[in-house]
Amino acid sequence: MTISMYEASVPVFSARLKALSSVLAAAEQNALDRKIDPQVFLTARLAPDMFALTRQVQIATDHAKGAPSRLAGREVPKYEDNEASFAELEARIAKTVAYLATFSAADIDGSDDRMIELKLAGRETTLRGMQYLLHVAMPNFYFHLTTAYDILRHNGVPLGKATFLGSR
């Protein structure tokens, strides 16, 4: 049995991004409840050499829109990376989810052997579609998604696994 490249990408990205939107909404509400300036959360990071929450969300959405685009042979949409509020981050997520809805299985299935060219660690790299999706795009997406969650959790936002998974 072969893997559906569409099922392994678009619905997964969409579901996780919707859950991330819920995580951000909970964080915004928590900042309001605790009378914390939202910028405290938006600029927070887990370590001095890591990106802040805002950038983590931007990169997660970049992987979510980039992977299906590359697999389908489409140009990857470019976003400005200028979000500075929870509302703007949630709008970016909504824009990405809407973009993902433009893909069908016919666009992506069969791309497992498509040669994907991209820059990794500053150098041009070529990978087969399945290798790219499973070993580059998905791990990076989940890293930044999880780091965004962890930043907020570390800052006292009462989040749990159900919120992360989107089941609450």
Side-chain angles (χ1 to χ4, degrees):
M1 179 172 189
T2 60
I3 185 173
S4 165
M5 295 290 285
Y6 172 84
E7 290 297 327
S9 60
V10 172
V12 176
F13 289 131
S14 293
R16 300 289 58 84
L17 287 176
K18 289 174 186 174
L20 178 59
S21 187
S22 294
V23 165
L24 294 177
E28 184 175 30
Q29 184 61 52
N30 183 259
L32 183 64
D33 293 347
R34 293 169 53 198
K35 297 178 180 27
I36 296 172
D37 180 349
Q39 289 301 310
V40 171
F41 290 162
L42 293 166
T43 60
R45 56 188 75 225
L46 289 179
D49 64 344
M50 293 182 77
F51 290 126
L53 174 69
T54 299
R55 189 70 185 124
Q56 299 293 343
V57 174
Q58 291 167 343
I59 295 171
T61 58
D62 287 346
H63 283 287
K65 67 184 168 67
S69 297
R70 289 181 184 97
L71 293 171
R74 291 188 193 175
E75 186 73 25
V76 178
K78 297 202 182 335
Y79 294 172
E80 292 295 317
D81 294 338
N82 58 1
E83 295 80 13
S85 69
F86 282 108
E88 289 172 346
L89 288 175
E90 289 186 49
R92 181 185 178 113
I93 291 169
K95 180 167 71 170
T96 305
V97 170
Y99 175 68
L100 292 171
T102 69
F103 289 94
S104 69
D107 295 325
I108 296 174
D109 282 345
S111 63
D112 45 313
D113 284 327
R114 176 190 291 270
M115 299 311 287
I116 307 296
E117 296 178 7
L118 67 154
K119 212 174 246 193
L120 288 176
R123 65 177 210 271
E124 295 293 326
T125 304
T126 302
L127 303 164
R128 295 199 179 277
M130 185 168 304
Q131 183 183 15
Y132 162 67
L133 178 63
L134 299 179
H135 298 282
V136 176
M138 282 300 187
N140 276 286
F141 173 73
Y142 275 105
F143 175 85
H144 293 286
L145 188 76
T146 302
T147 302
Y149 171 91
D150 290 345
I151 288 169
L152 294 169
R153 191 68 190 96
H154 177 75
N155 279 278
V157 178
L159 301 167
K161 187 176 182 180
T163 310
F164 178 83
L165 294 176
S167 55
R168 187 179 84 121

